[in-house]
Amino acid sequence: AAPARSTSWSGAEVGRQELTLATYRRNLAQGRLTGSRCLKCGERYLPPRPICARCHATRMELSDFKGEGTVAGFASVSVPGPTMADRGHGSDNPYMTALIILSEGPGVTARIAAPNPASPDGGVRVGMPVTADFTSEGDGEEATVTLVFKPR
């Protein structure tokens, strides 16, 4: 895992681009899992946010997460939304989604690469250690990078 990088700013700069989902997605495309940390209380968030939900401070720092965590819960999705249906998922080809608790503390919901797709639970289990993978999906202008966790 890459070393954590951070950039801090004051509350006067709360509107900066670094605090947007666009920045989060752009960093995903670069293989970086970026969130924020409150400089007052230390609470961490993913994706980044400009104001701390715990203490309401506006002095936040942008920092990378290692991308390591554990599965806290999961589900098999066999009735997907349009995007996942367009990618071939459905009742005959479900995908797994999970709540991952990152080693730095925050939880994130993301797809999980099932170690055993043929079994009903995909071989996923609560407490299973996972690591982030940045999967490119789509072609050309439609290409996106998706956060998918894989078993360690």
Side-chain angles (χ1 to χ4, degrees):
R5 289 175 273 188
S6 66
T7 305
S8 62
W9 56 86
S10 71
E13 298 166 317
V14 160
R16 288 178 54 161
Q17 182 180 355
E18 287 88 353
L19 299 171
T20 65
L21 284 175
T23 297
Y24 171 76
R25 289 185 182 123
R26 187 170 44 254
N27 288 339
L28 280 181
Q30 297 170 2
R32 293 175 53 201
L33 189 56
T34 306
S36 60
R37 185 179 75 84
C38 177
L39 293 173
K40 182 177 178 184
C41 73
E43 190 73 15
R44 297 192 68 169
Y45 300 95
L46 185 70
R49 57 184 303 146
I51 299 171
C52 179
R54 179 198 236 176
C55 72
H56 309 289
T58 56
R59 285 192 41 85
M60 303 292 285
E61 119 180 311
L62 189 68
S63 66
D64 287 348
F65 289 78
K66 292 185 290 187
E68 298 173 351
T70 58
V71 174
F74 63 93
S76 176
V77 181
S78 59
V79 183
T83 300
M84 295 304 284
D86 289 347
R87 293 179 182 161
H89 294 285
S91 59
D92 293 334
N93 184 27
Y95 66 94
M96 303 296 291
T97 187
L99 172 60
I100 308 298
I101 304 301
L102 297 171
S103 60
E104 295 88 352
V108 61
T109 302
R111 282 191 9 227
I112 186 163
N116 183 5
S119 73
D121 64 4
V124 177
R125 67 183 195 293
V126 171
M128 182 170 72
V130 292
T131 189
D133 185 50
F134 306 93
T135 304
S136 181
E137 299 178 319
D139 298 311
E141 296 286 323
E142 302 295 318
T144 60
V145 173
T146 302
L147 176 62
V148 178
F149 282 86
K150 294 185 174 183
R152 277 191 270 162

